[in-house]
Amino acid sequence: MMRIRIRGNAPVLSMESAPMIDALNQKHGIPGAVSVVEGKNHLPKVVLTHRSGSRAEIYLHGAHVCSWVDSTGEERFFLSREAWFEPGKPIRGGIPVIFPQFGAGPLPPHGLARLYSWEIARTERLPSGAVRLRLCLDSTPEMLAQWPHPFHLEFEVLLDEALAIVLRAKNTSGEPFAFTSALHTYFAVQDIKRTKVLGLKGVTLADAMQKGAREVETREAIAFDRETDRVYVQAPDAVRIRDEARDLTITIEKSNLPDVVVWNPWIEKARRMPDFGDEEYPFMVCVETGQVEKPRSLAAGALWECRTRFSVSR
Ligand code: BG6
């Protein structure tokens, strides 16, 4: 068991995490493909490497992918230098896993899944050479005290030249429940003013900057010159980020996730976020795939599964 002790205001894991990490590595490590190492603040982190040279790093805390380096050796995810790596707090950057509540509501913002430590269920190298990690999270009494609906979550990372994520939620209670969910992915861009999001023309959006007012997107290419916080409802299953400064395109493909959220905090909101540097907003854009607008109902015993895949082209 990991022990948590308090130093100042911040809970940190004690050095007893080291033997636990060694044990996880012995059980789940695969030479040349999977290793479990000590991450920031002694938190366990799984490192996946693929023969193409791509690499992903996933914290058990939140099942949080905090890094994806593609086969060119470049980092594709933004991670704030101010990010917290603390039990009970979300990590700013990478892919926060949002479940069972997107945004504000009775639960902590963006729900519970990103606040707790997940377990490694399985690691494998597939015959194709792709490397797969499966993490899981079962509702605990502490979670059920906040949201009284027992669940089992699985989060799968599949790394090859691309990065694919599968998220599954099983309703392990005897009653139906409804949830919202998202992969809140922070992409690294060289310059937000030379970044565009493509593929959302004609889609209805709810604009959080206009109190949720709805309109239809008229632009082929969404550019950024201010705080942007929009839910594109029933968006197409492929959208692209064009990073003009780097001359590359990131394609985001989704299935069984209706919505896409586009977010950049810009200057004032960046200043208000304690775990985000004031000068960092030009270097990121969130393009989130999710079940955001309309909660999804899940019958007792039923399983929901969604996928998102990220790939890079020049
Ligand atoms: C986005 C929301 O998905 O997440 C924004 O649309 C929010 O309104 C942002 O500010 C970050 O949320 P958090 O809880 O990680 O600070």
Side-chain angles (χ1 to χ4, degrees):
M1 258 317 230
M2 260 185 290
R3 264 212 227 137
I4 295 170
R5 66 193 160 83
I6 307 292
R7 193 169 59 196
N9 291 324
V12 294
L13 297 177
S14 80
M15 288 312 287
E16 288 169 37
S17 61
M20 187 271 291
I21 288 170
D22 285 348
L24 286 174
N25 198 37
Q26 272 180 24
K27 186 161 178 205
H28 299 289
I30 302 175
V34 180
S35 60
V36 186
V37 301
E38 189 170 287
K40 292 201 177 153
N41 201 11
H42 308 296
L43 292 172
K45 180 172 85 171
V46 184
V47 180
L48 307 182
T49 46
H50 180 255
R51 61 185 180 207
S52 65
S54 65
R55 175 187 162 96
E57 298 187 358
I58 303 101
Y59 277 84
L60 299 190
H61 177 59
H64 199 116
V65 183
C66 68
S67 168
W68 171 40
V69 173
D70 71 15
S71 53
T72 68
E74 278 189 43
E75 176 66 60
R76 297 294 166 222
F77 289 161
F78 166 86
L79 179 66
S80 173
R81 60 178 153 72
E82 305 292 338
W84 295 315
F85 288 84
E86 291 173 21
K89 289 188 175 180
I91 297 170
R92 177 76 65 198
I95 314 182
V97 179
I98 310 300
F99 178 93
Q101 168 194 292
F102 182 90
L107 295 175
H110 288 326
L112 302 172
R114 66 178 182 164
L115 303 179
Y116 291 93
S117 189
W118 294 49
E119 285 183 4
I120 303 177
R122 187 175 181 151
T123 57
E124 59 198 315
R125 182 163 31 205
L126 304 179
S128 65
V131 181
R132 185 155 67 187
L133 165 71
R134 183 184 294 166
L135 302 178
C136 60
L137 180 71
D138 285 294
S139 48
T140 60
E142 188 181 315
M143 296 176 211
L144 293 171
Q146 301 171 76
W147 196 65
H149 305 288
F151 61 82
H152 172 79
L153 296 184
E154 287 179 3
F155 182 80
E156 249 175 43
V157 182
L158 185 76
L159 179 72
D160 48 25
E161 284 83 0
L163 179 74
I165 306 291
V166 178
L167 177 64
R168 300 187 187 92
K170 183 167 188 193
N171 180 347
T172 51
S173 76
E175 305 287 331
F177 65 61
F179 65 95
T180 47
S181 179
L183 297 181
H184 192 305
T185 311
Y186 289 72
F187 294 93
V189 296
Q190 188 156 312
D191 178 0
I192 189 69
K193 292 183 179 154
R194 297 182 62 198
T195 297
K196 296 186 172 62
V197 176
L198 308 163
L200 293 167
K201 187 178 176 188
V203 180
T204 299
L205 65 97
D207 188 351
M209 303 313 298
Q210 307 294 335
K211 301 193 170 107
R214 289 171 90 93
E215 60 180 275
V216 174
E217 181 58 72
T218 55
R219 295 168 294 176
E220 291 284 354
I222 298 161
F224 298 85
D225 62 359
R226 68 195 69 181
E227 183 178 345
T228 303
D229 192 350
R230 299 173 148 213
V231 181
Y232 288 85
V233 181
Q234 302 283 343
D237 277 344
V239 293
R240 282 169 293 140
I241 299 171
R242 179 74 195 145
D243 182 337
E244 292 293 351
R246 286 201 177 103
D247 190 22
L248 66 82
T249 303
I250 299 176
T251 301
I252 303 153
E253 295 163 283
K254 63 180 176 63
S255 67
N256 205 22
L257 285 170
D259 309 322
V260 167
V261 181
V262 179
W263 180 63
N264 182 289
W266 217 252
I267 298 165
E268 295 306 322
K269 188 159 186 175
R271 290 194 182 131
R272 293 198 301 273
M273 297 195 301
D275 58 340
F276 188 89
D278 291 356
E279 310 306 328
E280 288 184 314
Y281 76 91
F283 308 116
M284 54 75 61
V285 64
C286 283
V287 178
E288 310 162 33
T289 50
Q291 175 81 42
V292 170
E293 226 219 12
K294 233 177 156 189
R296 181 79 147 228
S297 303
L298 203 54
L303 180 71
W304 168 83
E305 177 179 296
C306 67
R307 284 166 194 267
T308 300
R309 181 174 182 271
F310 311 107
S311 56
V312 180
S313 54
R314 287 190 185 261

